[in-house]
Amino acid sequence: MVESSRTEDSTVEFTVNGAAVAVPVGESLLDALREHLGITSAKDGCSPQGQCGCCTVWVDGQPRVACVTPVGRVAGRSVTTLEGLDGADRWAEAFCAGGGSQCGFCTPGIIMRVAALTAPTDAAVRQALLAHLCRCTGWHPVVNSVLSAPERAPASLEQTGRGVRASLEGGVAQDVGAHVALGRGGFADDTAPPGALVALLDAEGEWVVGESLAQARRLSGKIQGRRTTAPLRSPIELPAGAWMRTLQTTWVEPAYLEPDAAWCEPGGAPASSLGNGGAFGGKTSTEVGDVARRLADEHGRAVRVLFTREDVVRRGPKRPPIAAGVRADGTGVIRVARTPGIARAIASIAPGLVVEEVDVAGPPTTSAARAAGWAEAAVLLASIAVSPLDPEIDPENDMVTAPNGATAWASIDSDGSLHVRVRCGEPLDEAVLRSYCTGAAHMALGWVRSEGLAIGADGTPLDLTIRSFGVLRAIDTPPIDIVIEPDDGEPVNGSDAVFAAVAAAAWRRAGYPPEWPAAR
Ligand code: FES
């Protein structure tokens, strides 16, 4: 341990994982770790908002959010990251075996948080998770992983073979293994070559390039995003008609944790911005890879291209809002924000619904968002207990068959407990499937009850912080029971069917409020 302090040449000295270091004063602890010391387990999900918890490390043994900790404040102190945490391999194995880590972006920060708990009971873990966000897992696999950690042997860093199931569920190749939980999931901003230039967007939406992240931030004039008090609104008028059921929704932010990032060498191919997951469709059209290639060629050097959290909100595509009415016979009209592919998605499950695409002032929308369009149609049809795919639907147990053939059933008890069954071919890996289905169920509950993005009348996103989107917290997530139905058919993605079935069940339990989110 170094005695330290600020030195005359404007550096600050402290220890990281037991080794003495000196870094420039004036930046955040997160930037000191990532940019100057090459420690990448601490992730930047929202800096400097301090809201996602992905950059959590220990300072003198206490969890701290590094992006809002000025590095000068740790002078002479002891910083521990996941790389230096005793028992990190055991934690990683527990998260891997328990499905507590999917894309893995949030996991190192969560492990640092829960490893500091002296009595990790279920309630204590959920309370500790208030400082974190996870979009993938639906929290329960995280809690179960934490509670099972003491029994786990240290992890092997070998690939576990679970990636096939994960790729099915995530829609893109996703790695599964203890190395992912340790923060080594291959995220683009972790793998960029040292010395690469850094590109950020300025207030006018132009890319500015700096020698370092700190310089690029100065050049971009980055201003921290805010949360608005403006209400959520349904931007589309209901179609005229005598409907049995109507539903209006608003824009929904995919809210993935890893902001879009890429890097590229001159003349090379850009690093994939999909990181270790598909971001629920939110990154399929991201510009960062093309920008990295162009800027690398222009500058003749490797360039890192990064979205901040605010950029993700402003430029990333959203789930398109709808306004729909259905009759008791399953016919009706869905009006939806004009979005390539959305009419085909709706027709794939509800050929009796007329689709009207309308122009709406707002952020870009995508039909790649989880089950976009067809889930809305499935929910509407389930609400009238009519399904063109299964007229025997149990009115107390909402059932959805997805376009890929996966089927899910969901019901919610009066105490809020959620019961889900899913049939999607051979399970391959039950821990992975259960985690994905729990995550999908959690996302569906949030969609119906709390999620949305406030958009101004001119179409500008107003909620720019990651806590603005209404993602359900661990302590607000009800018990979720997942039963995997035996099926020896070809494995298919099952979590999207779960997403739609749970949304249908949540709408039913809420008494079919005509607008989502119901708690706006
Ligand atoms: Fe938590 Fe992906 S595993 S955000």
Side-chain angles (χ1 to χ4, degrees):
M1 161 93 71
V2 186
E3 285 288 329
S4 148
S5 44
R6 299 165 188 228
T7 58
E8 287 178 5
D9 60 354
S10 298
T11 61
V12 57
E13 297 175 358
F14 53 104
T15 66
V16 177
N17 301 328
V21 298
V23 300
V25 76
E27 298 181 8
S28 70
L29 175 57
L30 178 60
D31 287 349
L33 293 171
R34 290 186 61 89
E35 304 298 313
H36 295 284
L37 302 173
I39 292 175
T40 55
S41 66
K43 309 296 186 196
D44 180 354
C46 70
S47 78
Q49 296 179 2
Q51 294 189 351
C52 74
C54 296
C55 63
T56 302
V57 298
W58 287 359
V59 177
D60 291 342
Q62 296 300 311
R64 293 286 178 265
V65 183
C67 76
V68 289
T69 301
V71 71
R73 202 180 293 161
V74 302
R77 301 173 75 179
S78 170
V79 172
T80 306
T81 69
L82 190 57
E83 288 84 353
L85 178 71
D86 281 346
D89 279 7
R90 183 171 47 78
W91 284 107
E93 175 56 24
F95 272 70
C96 179
S101 182
Q102 288 184 24
C103 79
F105 196 77
C106 69
T107 315
I110 288 177
I111 290 177
M112 294 309 293
R113 177 78 53 184
V114 297
L117 291 173
T118 50
T121 61
D122 186 284
V125 173
R126 287 178 198 278
Q127 192 67 25
L129 291 173
L130 283 174
H132 294 262
L133 283 172
C134 173
R135 188 52 157 170
C136 303
T137 64
W139 296 118
H140 295 300
V142 172
V143 176
N144 294 338
S145 298
V146 175
L147 298 179
S148 74
E151 299 145 25
R152 298 288 174 191
S156 152
L157 293 185
E158 298 295 313
Q159 166 60 262
T160 62
R162 292 167 169 149
V164 177
R165 179 82 248 179
S167 296
L168 275 178
E169 297 301 328
V172 297
Q174 186 173 82
D175 213 353
V176 177
H179 61 290
V180 174
L182 290 170
R184 302 176 209 158
F187 303 103
D189 196 38
D190 296 348
T191 58
L197 297 169
V198 182
L200 294 177
L201 284 162
D202 68 14
E204 277 71 51
E206 300 296 325
W207 289 99
V208 296
V209 179
E211 283 288 340
S212 65
L213 179 58
Q215 188 187 38
R217 282 214 188 98
R218 281 194 295 278
L219 292 170
S220 72
K222 177 172 166 33
I223 298 171
Q224 188 171 341
R226 292 180 184 278
R227 178 176 197 154
T228 180
T229 55
L232 299 177
R233 62 188 175 87
S234 305
I236 304 178
E237 295 273 315
L238 282 172
W243 309 117
M244 177 178 176
R245 201 81 69 205
T246 63
L247 176 62
Q248 289 175 281
T249 65
T250 189
W251 294 271
V252 178
E253 166 64 40
Y256 47 86
L257 267 286
E258 183 210 5
D260 307 35
W263 59 269
C264 194
E265 298 274 8
S272 170
S273 54
L274 293 179
N276 196 35
F280 314 103
K283 288 182 183 167
T284 51
S285 56
T286 185
E287 69 202 274
V288 292
D290 289 344
V291 173
R293 190 196 317 251
R294 173 172 62 78
L295 292 176
D297 288 345
E298 277 176 29
H299 290 268
R301 287 175 58 185
V303 179
R304 288 160 68 193
V305 173
L306 307 176
F307 268 9
T308 63
R309 178 54 54 184
E310 292 86 347
D311 298 327
V312 175
V313 183
R314 289 195 182 101
R315 297 169 84 100
K318 317 303 174 202
R319 186 180 199 91
I322 69 154
V326 289
R327 305 180 188 91
D329 64 358
T331 61
V333 175
I334 293 189
R335 286 184 173 162
V336 59
R338 191 176 305 283
T339 305
I342 201 74
R344 192 169 55 248
I346 295 170
S348 70
I349 200 164
L353 295 180
V354 174
V355 181
E356 295 178 1
E357 294 195 58
V358 297
D359 293 309
V360 180
T365 52
T366 180
S367 58
R370 168 172 257 161
W374 73 255
E376 283 84 342
V379 162
L380 286 159
L381 295 182
S383 78
I384 55 172
V386 170
S387 166
L389 299 172
D390 187 349
E392 300 302 314
I393 197 167
D394 173 356
E396 292 308 313
N397 205 345
D398 284 299
M399 187 203 82
V400 168
T401 296
N404 69 356
T407 300
W409 299 258
S411 63
I412 299 178
D413 294 343
S414 55
D415 69 356
S417 301
L418 171 58
H419 304 279
V420 175
R421 288 187 290 137
V422 60
R423 186 171 61 219
C424 56
E426 188 184 359
L428 296 181
D429 186 284
E430 292 212 1
V432 170
L433 178 55
R434 202 173 295 283
S435 177
Y436 269 92
C437 290
T438 309
H442 168 267
M443 190 182 284
L445 292 175
W447 182 32
V448 176
R449 296 174 178 173
S450 56
E451 289 192 33
L453 189 62
I455 304 292
D458 64 353
T460 305
L462 302 176
D463 277 327
L464 297 176
T465 68
I466 197 164
R467 291 273 170 179
S468 308
F469 313 142
V471 175
L472 283 181
R473 306 174 304 173
I475 58 170
D476 300 325
T477 304
I480 300 174
D481 165 44
I482 306 280
V483 173
I484 300 169
E485 297 279 334
D487 182 356
D488 57 8
E490 272 295 299
V492 294
N493 170 312
S495 51
D496 288 356
V498 168
F499 174 75
V502 171
W507 197 27
R508 177 191 300 275
R509 173 51 64 186
Y512 300 117
E515 287 186 296
W516 294 0
R520 68 177 67 194

